[in-house]
Amino acid sequence: MRAAMAEALVGDDVFGDDPTVRHLEAKTAQLLGKEASLFLPSGTMANQVAIRVHTRPGDEVLLHEGCHVYRFEQGGMAALHGVQAVPLPGDAGRVPITRFAECLRPDDPHYPRSRLVVLENSHNLSGGTVLDAAYSAEVRKFATENGLAVHLDGARLANAAVALGVSLSDLAASADSVSLCLSKGLGAPIGTMLSGSAEFVRQARRVRKLLGGGMRQVGVLAAAGLLAIAEGVARLGEDHARARRCAASFRGVPGVRVADPVTNMVLVHTDPDLVKPCAEHLAKHGVLALPFGVGRLRFVIHRDVGDLDVERAARALSDFFSSRPGSERSP
Ligand SMILES: *Cc1c(COP(=O)(O)O)cnc(C)c1O
């Protein structure tokens, strides 16, 4: 990948004439089944650009309460675009359609305008759970009937597609716009694609410049992105299988409950007071796990994590809990 980056043909992408970026944009538009696509520096910027294009100040955005755009983007939709979120509960990142329907605003001068639904697939905070194409199609139908747009935060969409055994375009078909991180599981160092209709992407390109995301000889990054989509998607199944083996090896550890992995994440539930010391103990043994909400630790499997690493993680986790008094209690 470093060699491909070094050899990349480049131009000035702010003028739309970087050949490697154009190639990557065409490839991802095709992969996602959309007319056009745009290279951005991050998943966060892709989501914020999409929200900006779909909304006007005062509009409302309906989404799951655990969504990245609601939790982990500094309230960007309010701070940058003057729109308000309607965060809704639902299992595994899935808001029941009836819940969305209850929150629709009547056309009345008292109310904000309901404008956009955001979906996230796979769903990070739920531990990499997936939304199937049937659910996404139901959301699409609801949105169309009520004049709403749909943005899909597909930072980890390739993981969802592989887990469900469908194409990325099947999962993106229900959305007006979709993001896809080239980093994360696909293994490029930097970059997120944002795809949609030609008109959507034309407007997104303007907003990207507004937010300072127009970059010059960015073909060096697009070259890595091309490899990420050419080779990264096909090997995600390995990560998912390894995540299942990892979960199985964690299950024998006293004092933890381990969720069934759906994609490449392993969520470990334990006593909330132990999460931080456990993460510190693991880090000392070269295992990086993220404290992930109350009483939860997140482990992510990716291309640089092998079977020996998983064994090391299981040993370190087991050491930590076995050495604690009362460790025979399960949470
Ligand atoms: C990582 C992630 C993002 C943000 O991507 P960055 O490149 O870190 O800004 C957005 N949404 C989801 C679901 C993610 O997992």
Side-chain angles (χ1 to χ4, degrees), residues 42-44 47 68 73 120 122 124 153 155-156 181 183-184 192:
S42 71
T44 300
N47 285 333
H68 195 282
E73 299 185 12
E120 182 179 310
S122 65
N124 180 16
D153 177 352
R156 303 170 189 273
C181 283
S183 52
K184 306 286 166 76
T192 290

Side-chain angles (χ1 to χ4, degrees), residues 25 65 81 97 164 168 171 180 188 195 202 204 220-221 230-231 236 251 323-324 328 331:
E25 288 176 347
E65 62 192 1
H81 319 306
I97 307 290
L164 289 163
L168 278 81
L171 294 181
L180 174 70
S195 303
R202 195 184 67 77
V220 288
L221 298 180
E231 296 174 5
L236 291 177
R251 283 220 169 87
S323 65
R324 305 198 68 80
E328 58 290 344

